[in-house]
Amino acid sequence: MPVRPAMRRNPRTPRRLLLAAAALAALLLTGCGVGQGSAVKLEPGETITVGVIPVADFAPVYIAQDEGFFAEEGLNVETKVMQNAAAIAPSVINGQLQFGTAAVPPFIAAAQKGLPLVAVANAGSNTSKADEDPSALVVSPDSGITRPRQLEGRTVAVNALSSIVHLTAAASIKRDGGDPSKATFVAMPFPDMVTALDRGVVDAASLVEPFQAKTVGAGAKVIANTYSAALNQDGTFALVFTARPFAQKNPETVRAFTRAVDKASRLAANDPGKVGEVLAKYGKLPASTFEKMRLPRYTDVLHEQSLADASELMGDLGFLTEPADVEGLIWK
C-alpha cells in the first residue's frame, strides 16, 4: 500500500452520540488497557470479520471478498454489514471485529479520544472537480438560497454530527464567507433528509450518493459540492482500519489484508461495474440508480496529507481541540 507523506502540522449533541461517548469512556477506563481485547494472535484459516457500511465509499472491501482476493492471500474473511458507523470502532477495539471502515473525520476523532486505531488501506478518495464530486449541499429550488453563506440562521441536515458531511458542509459555509456556527446542524438518516427538505423541515441537506442523484433528479438545487469545495484535493476521505494491538500481534495478516483491498481498489478504478455489482448485492441498490451516481475515486494510495488536512480543518472548525498526529495513525 503506497503512502504519501504529510506535513505535520459545536453543535448540539444527539442522544446516540452521547451514548457512544459513554461507551468510549467505559472502554478508556477498563483496567485491562484500551484495545487489549483485540490483541489476539490469529491462527491460519481463522475467521477475520470486517465491519462495512454498504455504500460506494467502501466498495473495495466487498469487491475483495467477492473476487476472491482475500482467499488468494490465504485469508478467511467475513464481511459484516453495519448500518451504524459509531459501532464499528468500539467493536474493532474489543476484538469483535478485526477490521473496520470509516470516513476520515470520525476515524481521527476516535483516535484523538484515545482509541488505538491505525489506518491500513484506502477505501475512497475525493476529487477536486466539482462535476465529479459525489457529495452535495442542496436546497429546495424555491428557497431563494443560492450559496453556502446564506445558510447562516438556517437548518442543515447531516447524517451525524461530526461526520464528514457535517465537517465539509460547515467548511463550505466558512469558505464562502459565512459563519457555520450560526447554522443549526441536525442529524438524521440520509433517506429522511430528502423528505425533510421537501416538507421544509430543514433548509438544506448535506448529501452523498446515491441520495444526491435522487434529490437533484427530483428538482433540488446544488449550492456546493462539499468534498471538492472543502477538501480541495484528490485524496483519501474513507479508509479501512484496525486496532494497533491487533496489527502488532498479526502484522502478516494486516499486510495480506491490505494487499487484497488495494487490489480491489485498482479493479474498481478500472471496472466501475464491479462497484455496481456489490452495491446491488449488499446495499440493494437498483441498477437504474447506480447508473446516475457519481462514484468516489478508487486508488491504492492511502494519502497521509489528506488526513493531516482533515485534522487541521477539524481543528479550525472546532471539531477537535488540537490537530492529530496523523503520521502515527497510519500502519506502516
Side-chain angles (χ1 to χ4, degrees):
M1 170 195 63
V3 176
R4 294 181 186 169
M7 295 292 290
R8 291 195 184 189
R9 43 169 193 149
N10 284 321
R12 285 177 282 181
T13 305
R15 184 173 181 272
R16 67 175 179 274
L17 291 188
L18 291 174
L19 293 174
L24 174 60
L27 278 171
L28 296 176
L29 292 173
T30 54
C32 62
V34 181
Q36 292 311 302
S38 67
V40 177
K41 175 66 177 175
L42 294 185
E43 298 299 326
E46 195 169 347
T47 301
I48 295 168
T49 306
V50 190
V52 195
I53 299 173
V55 295
D57 301 353
F58 308 115
V61 176
Y62 292 116
I63 292 173
Q65 175 75 323
D66 284 9
E67 295 295 317
F69 297 158
F70 289 131
E72 289 173 5
E73 293 287 350
L75 303 178
N76 178 20
V77 172
E78 177 181 280
T79 55
K80 183 175 182 180
V81 175
M82 303 184 75
Q83 300 299 330
N84 184 358
I88 295 180
S91 296
V92 170
I93 288 298
N94 66 27
Q96 290 179 308
L97 301 173
Q98 284 67 56
F99 294 90
T101 53
V104 167
F107 169 76
I108 290 176
Q112 282 294 82
K113 290 175 182 174
L115 294 186
L117 303 175
V118 285
V120 299
N122 197 68
S125 293
N126 62 282
T127 174
S128 57
K129 300 177 181 178
D131 60 356
E132 297 177 5
D133 191 339
S135 67
L137 193 57
V138 304
V139 296
S140 297
D142 57 354
S143 67
I145 301 170
T146 60
R147 54 192 308 162
R149 70 187 183 197
Q150 292 176 303
L151 294 176
E152 289 184 358
R154 309 282 187 132
T155 301
V156 183
V158 296
N159 68 317
L161 299 184
S162 299
S163 65
I164 190 169
V165 298
H166 181 189
L167 175 70
T168 54
S172 296
I173 294 171
K174 184 174 181 178
R175 293 190 179 190
D176 192 42
D179 182 352
S181 70
K182 294 181 180 179
T184 300
F185 292 91
V186 295
M188 63 180 65
F190 284 122
D192 294 350
M193 292 185 201
V194 179
T195 303
L197 191 65
D198 286 342
R199 294 179 177 177
V201 176
V202 298
D203 299 296
S206 187
L207 298 168
V208 295
E209 295 290 18
F211 304 100
Q212 175 188 220
K214 290 179 179 179
T215 309
V216 173
K221 182 178 179 181
V222 176
I223 59 171
N225 291 106
T226 55
Y227 289 3
S228 55
L231 304 177
N232 198 31
Q233 66 173 24
D234 296 327
T236 300
F237 75 81
L239 48 78
V240 184
F241 67 91
T242 190
R244 184 179 296 278
F246 176 81
Q248 291 170 338
K249 286 279 188 178
N250 303 274
E252 291 300 328
T253 297
V254 173
R255 281 191 281 270
F257 187 93
T258 298
R259 286 193 297 268
V261 174
D262 286 349
K263 185 175 181 179
S265 291
R266 294 191 293 270
L267 177 59
N270 292 323
D271 186 359
K274 294 293 183 182
V275 178
E277 290 175 12
V278 296
L279 291 180
K281 179 178 179 179
Y282 296 98
K284 309 303 181 186
L285 184 74
S288 58
T289 301
F290 177 74
E291 291 172 359
K292 301 174 184 176
M293 286 175 55
R294 296 178 178 182
L295 295 178
R297 292 176 60 249
Y298 298 107
T299 170
D300 59 5
V301 177
L302 182 53
H303 198 278
E304 189 175 309
Q305 185 64 54
S306 296
L307 272 67
D309 291 345
S311 173
E312 184 173 356
L313 183 60
M314 291 168 75
D316 290 344
L317 293 172
F319 288 71
L320 289 178
T321 55
E322 60 183 18
D325 174 14
V326 299
E327 184 177 351
L329 297 182
I330 295 179
W331 178 252
K332 298 179 182 178

